[in-house]
Amino acid sequence: MAMTSLTELDDDTVRSMSIGAVFSEFGGKINSIDFHRKDDLLVTASEDDSVRLYDIASAKLLKTTFHKKHGADRICFTHHPSSVICSSTYNLDSTGGFFSYCFLLIFIYHCFMYERVMENVAESLRYLSMYDNRCLRYFKGHKERVVSLCMSPINDSFMSGSLDHSVRIWDLRVNACQGILRLRGRPTVAYDQQGLVFAVAMEGGAIKLFDSRSYDKGPFDTFLVGGDTAEVCDIKFSNDGKSMLLTTTSNNIYVLDAYGGEKRCGFSLEPSPNTKIEATFTPDGQYVVSGSGDGTLHAWNINMRNEVSCWNSHIGIASCLKWAPRRAMFVAASTVLTFWIPDSSKSTVEPRPMDVEGAAPSENVSQQ
């Protein structure tokens, strides 16, 4: 697979994207993927309890580790290229059976630490070294599954959002949780690329922005995605910090102005009741690429407001999709992992218009 460095994308380059490598060794659905910010590395977490590390420049699998005790659900790189944070699939039940319950009662009786014990019985997050397959630290506190996970781009802080209706702020260097936000609904979290602001999506389509240095003072701004009350399952900031990309559980995608919250554009994709899709910005923030419930992938030029291309994913519904930070490449995954790169042999085709000023939308995608 010939990899090219990212210079400047245009419609023809995006339109020419095609599959350059396929990895099908997974024993179940791929739950999440993440690129390292500086190195040409990709990490995946899968239903088969595996964490896999890839060199994207050479399209090679570097290492596979299995985590049968806790599973592998959400995953993200730390700043170190061989260290990741991974959320657990199993052992989230805080009761642990009769004997564990008795042990907890004795411990509580002697230490008078009921609240603290109950907050720290679930090993919901792990700090893993891929180099020597060690768990460097457990982060305990969430009582239900973690559904959103992100690392600060500037320091050792990271955030997790859980179905227990909380967002927790952590520091890689210590076990204890550094801060908690109690929220309604399914919380989704993201840092901006400068690490100064983070966004939290809440029930009813509300997006709250926090200063990462003084989040305890509450949000400094709140956006509402008008007319859509579906839960937001993914948030991303563009690299320049000017735009936010939201994906909802009803497969609607919105690009918002990150400063004022105004909707720049929106797209409705085919539904996928049992699978959440993911959308991604290109590194220049000029394009959005997304999966769809009908097994296709779509790319749009944000500024021109037109659909640039529609591809058959060849892997069914792509539940994971991310563009590489420094490469003309994106990755799409379901139970199979695919690397997409430009194919210079592809002929160019005029982009299709979206529903702008009376133009007809494409068959599979509608604009909002």
Side-chain angles (χ1 to χ4, degrees):
M1 185 182 82
M3 281 289 296
T4 57
S5 296
L6 183 67
T7 52
E8 186 173 342
L9 292 172
D10 55 31
D11 286 5
D12 287 341
T13 302
V14 174
R15 194 177 298 116
S16 73
M17 301 296 284
S18 60
I19 295 176
V22 178
F23 300 89
S24 56
E25 64 271 16
F26 298 89
K29 183 173 74 72
I30 298 166
N31 292 322
S32 60
I33 60 177
D34 191 39
F35 287 103
H36 193 268
R37 290 177 178 272
K38 296 181 179 179
D39 290 16
D40 285 326
L41 296 172
L42 173 80
V43 67
T44 66
S46 171
E47 280 183 344
D48 63 6
D49 305 326
S50 70
V51 172
R52 299 171 194 259
L53 183 68
Y54 295 85
D55 182 325
I56 63 170
S58 60
K60 290 182 179 178
L61 173 63
L62 299 177
K63 190 157 190 177
T64 302
T65 61
F66 286 94
H67 305 266
K68 296 298 183 181
K69 179 181 177 182
H70 295 95
D73 196 355
R74 314 307 301 173
I75 198 161
C76 70
F77 274 106
T78 65
H79 298 292
H80 195 284
S82 63
S83 298
V84 298
I85 307 163
C86 185
S87 71
S88 302
T89 308
Y90 319 125
N91 293 329
L92 294 178
D93 183 3
S94 62
T95 58
F98 174 78
F99 291 106
S100 294
Y101 177 71
C102 291
F103 172 80
L104 280 175
L105 288 179
I106 295 169
F107 190 81
I108 291 164
Y109 175 80
H110 285 287
C111 300
F112 301 99
M113 295 173 66
Y114 175 83
E115 182 175 355
R116 183 176 176 184
V117 169
M118 292 307 292
E119 282 196 349
N120 288 277
V121 286
E123 297 172 344
S124 53
L125 293 163
R126 288 159 291 134
Y127 179 17
L128 305 175
S129 168
M130 294 292 290
Y131 174 74
D132 52 6
N133 192 24
R134 286 191 304 126
C135 181
L136 304 175
R137 182 165 286 114
Y138 289 106
F139 301 95
K140 304 177 183 181
H142 285 304
K143 298 177 179 64
E144 294 191 45
R145 190 167 68 92
V146 170
V147 292
S148 187
L149 186 64
C150 62
M151 184 79 200
S152 167
I154 60 171
N155 56 37
D156 287 329
S157 299
F158 69 97
M159 288 189 301
S160 56
S162 168
L163 293 178
D164 63 11
H165 310 301
S166 74
V167 169
R168 290 178 178 254
I169 296 94
W170 311 85
D171 188 309
L172 284 175
R173 297 165 295 184
V174 293
N175 298 74
C177 176
Q178 303 298 293
I180 305 175
L181 302 174
R182 305 288 184 184
L183 305 166
R184 299 187 309 274
R186 179 191 194 276
T188 304
V189 295
Y191 282 101
D192 76 338
Q193 297 301 320
Q194 290 71 44
L196 301 177
V197 172
F198 66 81
V200 178
M202 295 173 52
E203 185 179 71
I207 312 297
K208 295 185 178 293
L209 299 183
F210 294 80
D211 186 324
S212 59
R213 297 158 296 186
S214 55
Y215 57 84
D216 55 322
K217 296 179 180 178
F220 65 83
D221 208 347
T222 300
F223 303 152
L224 293 172
V225 183
D228 192 342
T229 57
E231 290 183 319
V232 174
C233 56
D234 189 47
I235 307 177
K236 292 182 176 70
F237 283 89
S238 60
N239 280 345
D240 61 10
K242 295 180 180 179
S243 300
M244 279 194 299
L245 179 63
L246 312 180
T247 307
T248 74
T249 53
S250 58
N251 287 7
N252 291 325
I253 296 170
Y254 303 100
V255 179
L256 304 185
D257 180 277
Y259 300 119
E262 296 85 4
K263 186 169 70 175
R264 296 182 60 189
C265 51
F267 319 105
S268 292
L269 294 122
E270 292 296 318
S272 51
N274 300 316
T275 303
K276 294 179 178 65
I277 64 169
E278 185 173 8
T280 183
F281 280 119
T282 54
D284 59 6
Q286 303 304 305
Y287 298 88
V288 168
V289 182
S290 173
S292 178
D294 59 1
T296 56
L297 304 176
H298 299 262
W300 300 273
N301 184 314
I302 298 171
N303 292 328
M304 300 301 293
R305 297 176 60 83
N306 65 283
E307 184 179 359
V308 174
S309 190
C310 174
W311 308 277
N312 183 341
S313 74
H314 300 288
I315 59 171
I317 301 172
S319 56
C320 301
L321 195 150
K322 281 186 171 69
W323 196 287
R326 304 181 305 110
R327 296 286 187 176
M329 169 195 179
F330 70 84
V331 168
S334 56
T335 56
V336 177
L337 180 69
T338 53
F339 290 7
W340 289 68
I341 58 174
D343 182 354
S344 58
S345 67
K346 280 192 173 184
S347 59
T348 59
V349 183
E350 286 299 310
R352 294 179 292 174
M354 296 193 308
D355 189 14
V356 180
E357 296 181 353
S362 70
E363 182 178 345
N364 298 310
V365 183
S366 62
Q367 184 200 7
Q368 295 185 345

